[in-house]
């Protein structure tokens, strides 16, 4: 009809592949990880992961701290972003490699190749609704492929898997130990004061003890300790720093989702308190990623006091068991 022809002539089009998401807990890294893993699974099946991808958000969420991560996934260069922005007649469109539904052309938008993505709660790496046996599946090769795609191909993080720590048996092995400390931050405009719970009250004591930890008996290893406040880092830097740790330590919280970037054979030590002790999100993430997992249960709520002797003892046990020249890798 003439009306449909007129509508098509005034609409705008988006080339390449468009993945259409409805994000739910969009400011939480754990839940964003489920969306990104869906992107990987669907993109792999549709054979589009090496091509230009545009993301369309159907939700009405405000800007959030994790928005910048989507820029790395889009695979669209700056010139293409500017050109697409001109087509959509909106200066914000494609500035970050994604589109909010409110920025679509009011007279219609056509997509060259559109994929409606499943919700994050139905992701293969979302633990909600899984059976106990499914959650405890061992190392998953697809999770490792996801890690490699994100860290090496998309983020281009320089990393030599054979250079995790010094393997010269004549010298002390340096074991990279990183600990995530929770800080106040504004995840999104509706987050109020941005106050964070489950902070470690004796942080300096923990840092001092772990920084000086070494093999006193045989001098086979020492610790290269890094205190991490991820809230102050760009997303790519977060991935780069965490992925290079041999041992990651942190209080239960969404930031521990970064374990999916770590090399199989690494270690996660999760500190839990109160009602969080019965939550297994990151134990399963660690298992699927091929990491060893230890849990430390402590007392506390908004403030947590960590027994440094216990924590240092666990790190020492892991170091002696897995990071000496005579230990299995």
């Amino acid at each position: 009809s003439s009306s449909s022809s007129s509508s098509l002539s005034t609409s705008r089009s988006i080339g390449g592949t468009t993945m259409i998401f409805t994000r739910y807990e969009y400011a939480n890294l754990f839940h964003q990880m489920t969306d990104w893993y869906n992107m990987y699974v669907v993109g792999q099946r549709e054979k589009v992961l090496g091509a230009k991808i545009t993301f369309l958000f159907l939700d009405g969420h405000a800007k959030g701290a994790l928005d910048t991560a989507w820029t790395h996934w889009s695979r669209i260069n700056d010139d293409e972003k500017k050109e697409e922005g001109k087509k959509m007649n909106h200066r914000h469109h494609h500035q970050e490699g994604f589109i909010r539904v409110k920025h679509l052309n009011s007279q219609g938008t056509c997509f060259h190749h559109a994929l409606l993505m499943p919700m994050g709660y139905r992701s293969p790496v979302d633990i909600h609704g899984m059976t106990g046996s499914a959650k405890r599946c061992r190392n998953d090769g697809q999770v490792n492929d996801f890690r490699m795609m994100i860290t090496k191909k998309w983020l281009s993080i320089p990393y030599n898997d054979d250079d995790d720590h010094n393997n010269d048996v004549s010298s002390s092995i340096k074991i990279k130990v990183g600990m995530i400390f929770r800080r106040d931050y504004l995840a999104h405009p509706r987050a109020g004061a941005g106050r964070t719970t489950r902070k470690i009250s004796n942080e300096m004591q923990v840092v001092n003890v772990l920084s000086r930890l070494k093999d006193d008996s045989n001098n086979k290893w020492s610790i290269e300790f890094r205190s991490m406040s991820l809230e102050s880092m760009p997303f790519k830097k977060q991935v780069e720093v965490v992925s290079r740790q041999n041992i990651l330590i942190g209080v239960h919280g969404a930031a521990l989702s970064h374990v999916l970037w770590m090399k199989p054979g690494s270690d996660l030590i999760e500190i839990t308190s109160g009602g969080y002790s019965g939550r297994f999100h990151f134990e399963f993430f660690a298992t699927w990623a091929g990491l060893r997992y230890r849990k430390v249960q402590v007392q506390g709520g908004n403030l947590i006091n960590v027994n440094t002797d216990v924590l240092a003892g666990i790190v020492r046990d892991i170091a002696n068991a897995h990071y000496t020249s005579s230990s299995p890798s």
Side-chain angles (χ1 to χ4, degrees):
S1 67
S2 58
S3 60
S4 62
S5 298
S6 174
S7 176
L8 286 173
S9 66
T10 57
S11 66
R12 296 293 185 266
S13 63
I14 297 178
T17 296
T18 302
M19 291 186 172
I20 304 174
F21 288 87
T22 298
R23 301 167 302 159
Y24 288 85
E25 299 185 52
Y26 77 111
N28 180 290
L29 180 60
F30 174 86
H31 291 283
Q32 285 297 268
M33 196 74 82
T34 64
D35 281 329
W36 297 335
Y37 196 80
N38 282 348
M39 167 192 70
Y40 159 73
V41 172
V42 173
Q44 185 183 55
R45 181 180 179 86
E46 294 294 318
K47 296 180 171 59
V48 298
L49 291 178
K52 179 181 74 173
I53 300 175
T54 298
F55 301 114
L56 171 61
F57 299 152
L58 294 185
D59 54 79
H61 292 310
K63 291 183 179 181
L66 290 173
D67 286 357
T68 55
W70 291 87
T71 304
H72 299 293
W73 312 157
S74 70
R75 316 299 292 157
I76 302 174
N77 64 42
D78 291 339
D79 290 338
E80 289 175 316
K81 290 177 186 178
K82 292 177 182 178
E83 184 61 28
E84 292 289 346
K86 292 177 182 177
K87 290 180 182 178
M88 296 301 296
N89 195 30
H90 194 289
R91 65 186 180 91
H92 295 297
H93 170 71
H94 263 62
Q95 293 294 313
E96 299 112 342
F98 56 80
I99 317 165
R100 301 179 193 278
V101 66
K102 67 179 182 180
H103 294 160
L104 291 178
N105 188 277
S106 60
Q107 297 182 349
T109 302
C110 295
F111 301 93
H112 175 73
H113 182 208
L115 297 171
L116 184 61
M117 305 299 290
M119 62 189 292
Y121 292 120
R122 295 294 180 266
S123 171
V125 294
D126 185 88
I127 72 169
H128 301 92
M130 289 185 181
T131 63
S133 58
K135 293 174 181 177
R136 289 177 171 82
C137 288
R138 301 311 303 167
N139 184 14
D140 189 312
Q142 273 204 318
V143 172
N144 190 51
D145 290 344
F146 172 64
R147 172 184 77 93
M148 297 291 285
M149 179 192 75
I150 296 298
T151 59
K152 291 197 172 183
K153 293 183 180 179
W154 286 18
L155 293 181
S156 300
I157 293 175
Y159 183 62
N160 184 351
D161 282 350
D162 296 326
D163 191 31
D164 297 298
H165 45 73
N166 179 12
N167 287 312
D168 181 0
V169 297
S170 65
S171 62
S172 175
I173 293 173
K174 288 286 188 181
I175 304 172
K176 297 181 179 69
V177 177
M179 186 162 183
I180 299 173
F181 290 98
R182 295 167 62 84
R183 301 280 188 260
D184 292 339
Y185 77 106
L186 192 65
H188 57 85
R190 298 190 295 264
R195 298 295 183 187
T196 298
T197 59
R198 305 191 303 284
K199 295 178 182 176
I200 294 177
S201 60
N202 58 330
E203 178 178 324
M204 289 307 301
Q205 182 186 7
V206 172
V207 170
N208 289 335
V209 169
L210 293 182
S211 298
R212 294 196 295 265
L213 195 62
K214 63 180 180 178
D215 181 9
D216 294 323
S217 57
N218 298 311
N219 196 33
K220 290 184 177 180
W221 55 265
S222 61
I223 297 299
E224 182 180 310
F225 183 77
R226 179 160 188 163
S227 173
M228 295 183 286
S229 300
L230 299 184
E231 298 85 358
S232 62
M233 297 184 191
F235 182 78
K236 180 178 178 179
K237 185 66 175 179
Q238 294 180 34
V239 177
E240 180 177 359
V241 169
V242 174
S243 67
R244 289 177 170 172
Q245 304 308 308
N246 301 120
I247 303 174
L248 181 68
I249 308 170
V251 177
H252 177 93
L256 293 187
S257 302
H258 281 302
V259 298
L260 288 187
W261 313 130
M262 295 177 68
K263 181 190 173 186
S266 303
D267 293 85
L268 172 65
I269 302 173
E270 180 182 12
I271 300 170
T272 63
S273 65
Y276 293 95
S277 298
R279 301 190 182 186
F280 303 100
H281 301 63
F282 307 112
E283 177 183 351
F284 302 141
F285 267 26
T287 299
W288 298 332
L291 276 64
R292 292 175 292 266
Y293 174 85
R294 297 283 293 271
K295 178 180 286 188
V296 180
Q297 296 189 8
V298 299
Q299 300 296 319
N302 288 341
L303 287 177
I304 296 172
N305 186 275
V306 175
N307 186 316
T308 55
D309 290 337
V310 171
L311 183 58
I314 292 173
V315 174
R316 186 181 296 277
D317 288 345
I318 292 173
N320 287 329
H322 302 289
Y323 293 96
T324 62
S325 59
S326 60
S327 301
S329 58

